[in-house]
Structures are given as structure tokens and as C-alpha cells.
Amino acid sequence: MRPGQIERRTHDGTRHGTTTLFAALNIATGEIIGQCFACHRSREFLNFLRTLEVRVPDARDVHPVMDNFATHKTAAVQRWLARHQRWHVHFTPTSASWLNQVERFFFALLAEKQLRRGARRLTRQLERPIRDYTDTVNVNPRPFRWTTSADDILATIKRLYLRTLETAE
């Protein structure tokens, strides 16, 4: 890279392994509970739910906000949730992951601050910075605060809709 030159990326970068990160954000405190798994199946998701069940005080109801990924809706997960009455699941609409605070507060910031532009050849080299970032956030957790009002967001969506409608005509 040279001064003034934009960063470039290729479409055919080599992936040396992937990991699945399940994470939960306590919106009141900013604390993160995260776990990495080798696969993204309901079995791993259930393990994560069990971890949350142990870590969240019994007196509290749990309101996870999740996307509509198939792993979150399997029969095994539904049975587990039915047995745990304090769990009240909320699903985001398709393609609306931005509504989920953990997506922005944790996943996006993790990518920006810890993972981007890193070269890792082993999965454990990917998982270590994820755990380190989680630990760093949890040393001094702060709740996420939306900086844009709902009215501003809706106005932006309306402008986009009107532009799209004009283009289609």
C-alpha cells in the first residue's frame, strides 16, 4: 500500500478454516457471552443455549433476538425452548440483521477492530482473537446505545423506497 492508495482485496482469497461464533449480548450491561464451534448445527447451538442457561441468573427471563437461520429453528431447539419457560425467542425479519444489537455491537466491531486484514492459517489462530476481544469487552462492558432515532431510520427507508420506485418507472 502507498499513501493515498485505497485498500484492495481479491475475491479469491484462500480460506484456511472457519469457525462458528455464537454470541449473546446483555443489552443492559454490554457483557458478551460468546463461544466458537467447528460447525454451525443445532447441536452446537444447543450447547450454546445450555451455556447461556447456566450463566444467566435464574430469576431473569431470557429474550434472545435471532435471525431466521435454520439452525435456530430445528425440532431439537424447539423442544429445548419449550422445556425452558423463561426463554422468549424473537426472530428478526429476513435480511434485517441490523436490528439485532449483537450483530452491530459485537460481530461488526469484532471484525473491524480485531479480525480485518489479519492472516491466519489455522482455525485456532482465528478463535484466539475472538476470545481476546470478548474478554476485553467484558473487562469494562458498556451498553450499546442507538445514535439514530427510529424516525430518522424510517425517513431514510422512505427516501430509498421513493428513489427505487422512481427508478422502476
Side-chain angles (χ1 to χ4, degrees):
M1 295 218 8
R2 295 185 305 255
Q5 181 180 358
I6 62 170
E7 178 183 14
R8 298 183 201 163
R9 293 191 186 145
T10 64
H11 68 283
D12 59 348
T14 303
R15 294 180 76 170
H16 298 288
T18 60
T19 190
T20 291
L21 171 61
F22 291 117
L25 167 66
N26 180 333
I27 60 168
T29 66
E31 180 188 5
I32 296 286
I33 300 171
Q35 282 183 293
C36 292
F37 294 94
C39 297
H40 194 114
R41 301 173 298 198
S42 64
R43 180 180 319 158
E44 289 78 16
F45 186 59
L46 281 169
N47 284 338
F48 180 63
L49 293 179
R50 290 181 191 109
T51 297
L52 293 176
E53 179 66 17
V54 170
R55 302 255 322 253
V56 175
D58 290 338
R60 303 263 174 165
D61 279 0
V62 182
H63 288 268
V65 177
M66 300 185 281
D67 60 22
N68 285 287
F69 197 70
T71 300
H72 302 149
K73 295 181 167 189
T74 65
V77 170
Q78 296 302 315
R79 283 191 302 271
W80 189 91
L81 291 168
R83 287 192 310 269
H84 295 83
Q85 295 298 310
R86 70 185 187 133
W87 286 72
H88 311 281
V89 177
H90 309 277
F91 290 100
T92 59
T94 303
S95 300
S97 62
W98 60 273
L99 290 172
N100 189 339
Q101 285 187 348
V102 76
E103 294 279 349
R104 177 65 194 135
F105 183 78
F106 185 65
F107 294 151
L109 291 177
L110 169 68
E112 290 170 15
K113 296 179 180 230
Q114 193 75 18
L115 301 178
R116 185 161 291 140
R117 300 179 73 183
R120 296 160 187 94
R121 295 199 170 275
L122 303 171
T123 302
R124 70 176 172 267
Q125 291 173 333
L126 174 62
E127 292 176 353
R128 171 99 191 222
I130 292 171
R131 283 191 302 274
D132 290 346
Y133 184 73
T134 304
D135 293 343
T136 300
V137 167
N138 287 335
V139 166
N140 184 24
R142 291 185 307 251
F144 178 80
R145 300 279 184 238
W146 288 102
T147 57
T148 305
S149 72
D151 289 337
D152 289 343
I153 292 170
L154 292 173
T156 301
I157 292 170
K158 182 178 179 180
R159 284 193 305 273
L160 175 64
Y161 170 75
L162 291 174
R163 273 197 316 255
T164 304
L165 188 62
E166 289 171 5
T167 305
E169 293 176 343

